[in-house]
Amino acid sequence: MLAQNSAHRPRALAGNLLLILNPLLYVTAEGVSAAAWRHPAYRYGFNAISDLGVPGCGDLAGHPVCLPQHAVMNIAFITHGVLFVLAAALLAPLLPQGYGRRACILGIVTGVGLLLVGTFPGSPEAVADGTIALHTSGAALAIFGGNLTAIAAGVGLRRQAHRRLGAALVALGAAGTASVVIMFARAAIVAASGVITGGAVAERMSVYTIMAAELTVGIAVLTPIRRRADRSADASSADSPAAKRM
């Protein structure tokens, strides 16, 4: 796959382990945060993901929010951004030059967006003091950036003759981009305050396509690396003096 050259194998291994770990950590944090939600219960089909990071309890854009463990989700946003940037920096050089550069830049944009989302929660206080604009801008950067990273990487992989993997990433990125456009269009209609509200299903689709792209690349690239390592180990064993005496 990406790591044809043995010199690139450690880079590919580290990058793809991050791509597998990153969405697992994020989804776990989301589940923990949602389970800690106070009355009314958190609803995946109604509440925005950002609701999980709102400090304290109150009313946000017409619906109640109350999460004692808001720090869990905000740390998860920031952690996901940092690991996404690291994975992009490790793997981008393994793509064709132009596509690798684009994927790396878009990965950095995604990381900056997640940093803003986690640092400036979309709380009622944020609406009052104006920092909701930073939160909303961060969400746009993170979601558009993540899905466009998948598209850039997918096109680059297709250029390297990895057509099925490349096509899968392009399809995921395109679906996520369409979903985030729907989400923001709905938010513009129903929330004059500029708070991202409503369209929870479209929001989750636009975010989970990024997670799916990370897992797809991580698993698809890690599997042949492990197979090559196993073949190398078998060959070394066969060439050992002990094996030759048998």
Side-chain angles (χ1 to χ4, degrees), residues 4 12 34 48 51 58 71 91 126 158 212:
Q4 297 291 338
D51 287 354
L91 297 176
R158 287 178 62 83

Side-chain angles (χ1 to χ4, degrees), residues 27-211:
V27 172
T28 300
E30 189 176 335
V32 169
S33 299
W37 190 271
R38 294 290 185 258
H39 298 293
Y42 183 86
R43 292 179 289 167
Y44 278 79
F46 173 78
N47 289 99
I49 298 174
S50 294
D51 287 354
L52 293 172
V54 175
C57 300
D59 182 87
L60 180 62
H63 66 276
V65 292
C66 192
L67 183 62
Q69 297 184 12
H70 57 88
V72 173
M73 199 65 221
N74 289 324
I75 291 172
F77 288 137
I78 295 170
T79 301
H80 192 269
V82 171
L83 296 183
F84 196 92
V85 171
L86 288 175
L90 286 167
L91 297 176
L94 308 183
L95 291 168
Q97 187 174 12
Y99 296 98
R101 187 181 302 112
R102 292 179 198 129
C104 190
I105 292 171
L106 288 166
I108 293 171
V109 169
T110 304
V112 171
L114 285 164
L115 177 64
L116 289 173
V117 169
T119 305
F120 300 99
S123 62
E125 292 77 16
V127 176
D129 64 23
T131 56
I132 190 64
L134 293 172
H135 179 85
T136 305
S137 298
L141 290 173
I143 301 175
F144 276 115
N147 284 294
L148 291 176
T149 302
I151 292 173
V155 174
L157 285 168
R158 287 178 62 83
R159 291 294 182 95
Q160 290 182 323
H162 304 306
R163 297 190 178 278
R164 285 186 294 181
L165 178 58
L169 293 187
V170 171
L172 286 168
T177 301
S179 296
V180 73
V181 169
I182 293 171
M183 180 190 76
F184 277 106
R186 177 180 174 85
I189 293 171
V190 303
S193 65
V195 181
I196 300 176
T197 184
V201 174
E203 180 194 27
R204 281 200 150 73
M205 286 182 62
S206 67
V207 170
Y208 291 164
T209 52
I210 301 171
M211 309 292 168

